[in-house]
């Protein structure tokens, strides 16, 4: 459990670029939703997805190079060796999620809470099934794969719902 907690803390740090971009995005998005201009909303969402993806990529790359040393200094060699790979797996899930943008926030701001709730419920079920199944066999690495899978599934489903219900492409492409 301690190994997973260290990995989780590092992965939370890796998610900071997404959180910061969401803070900046929300006020601009609210104004555009009030106007109802879907082309501008789509453009804004793509721009923020690109920025988030780039920042998460850079953060993940730096951690991949220096993360083991950082973990050794902060948490000790024992945790550094065993929590590096789970942290990379969870962070990679955030990276792949950022490719699809933050459609979940868009759905929530556009009164699609039930769609967003259903998406989160499916992602949670994915976490339970994949994380538990692999966690029992592989420990922290298996649980990390479950978290990454749930993160990517949630992002893909939210992207799809935003594309179908609102005709807004939130992805980087």
């Amino acid at each position: 459990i301690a190994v997973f907690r260290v990995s989780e803390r590092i992965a939370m740090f890796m998610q900071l670029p997404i959180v910061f971009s969401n803070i900046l995005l929300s006020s601009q998005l609210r104004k555009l939703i009030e106007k109802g201009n879907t082309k501008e909303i789509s453009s804004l969402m793509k721009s923020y997805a690109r920025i988030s993806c780039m920042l998460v990529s850079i953060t993940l790359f730096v951690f991949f190079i220096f993360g083991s040393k950082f973990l050794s200094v902060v948490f000790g060699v024992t945790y550094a060796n065993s929590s590096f790979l789970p942290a990379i797996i969870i962070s990679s899930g955030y990276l792949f999620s950022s490719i699809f943008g933050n459609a979940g926030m868009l759905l929530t701001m556009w009164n699609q809470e039930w769609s967003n709730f259903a998406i989160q419920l499916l992602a949670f079920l994915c976490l339970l099934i994949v994380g538990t199944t692999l966690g029992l066999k592989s420990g922290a690495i298996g649980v990390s794969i479950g978290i990454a899978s749930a993160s990517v599934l949630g992002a893909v489903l939210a992207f799809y719902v935003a594309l179908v219900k609102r005709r807004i492409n939130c992805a980087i492409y």
Side-chain angles (χ1 to χ4, degrees):
I1 300 236
V3 169
F4 176 72
R5 298 297 262 171
V6 170
S7 302
E8 182 185 40
R9 300 269 190 287
I10 296 301
M12 288 171 59
F13 177 75
M14 298 293 197
Q15 196 179 19
L16 281 178
I18 297 171
V19 172
F20 290 141
S21 67
N22 289 346
I23 291 169
L24 298 173
L25 174 67
S26 61
S27 63
Q28 294 174 347
L29 186 59
R30 181 189 52 81
K31 292 174 189 172
L32 291 176
I33 287 174
E34 289 173 356
K35 292 179 186 177
N37 190 338
T38 56
K39 283 189 176 191
E40 282 186 49
I41 292 171
S42 187
S43 176
L44 179 69
M45 296 299 285
K46 282 183 180 190
S47 297
Y48 272 91
R50 289 178 183 136
I51 291 168
S52 293
C53 188
M54 181 185 64
L55 292 174
V56 171
S57 297
I58 291 168
T59 308
L60 183 58
F61 178 74
V62 169
F63 182 74
F64 190 74
I65 301 297
F66 301 109
S68 185
K69 293 175 183 136
F70 173 76
L71 289 172
S72 295
V73 170
V74 175
F75 297 106
V77 177
T78 305
Y79 290 114
N81 294 335
S82 53
S83 61
F84 179 74
L85 184 58
I88 291 291
I89 293 169
I90 296 171
S91 300
S92 297
Y94 293 148
L95 174 62
F96 286 111
S97 296
S98 71
I99 290 171
F100 294 97
N102 194 349
M105 182 171 69
L106 174 70
L107 292 173
T108 300
M109 292 182 82
W110 220 320
N111 297 325
Q112 298 290 322
E113 289 90 355
W114 285 108
S115 297
N116 213 11
F117 176 74
I119 290 165
Q120 294 303 315
L121 186 61
L122 288 172
F124 179 69
L125 290 173
C126 174
L127 171 64
L128 281 178
I129 294 167
V130 175
T132 304
T133 304
L134 294 178
L136 292 173
K137 294 179 182 178
S138 306
I141 292 174
V143 174
S144 300
I145 293 170
I147 291 171
S149 300
S151 175
V152 172
L153 177 67
V156 169
L157 290 175
F159 165 76
Y160 178 76
V161 170
L163 193 61
V164 169
K165 284 196 173 191
R166 293 295 177 174
R167 306 225 186 281
I168 294 177
N169 183 355
C170 299
I172 63 172
Y173 52 88

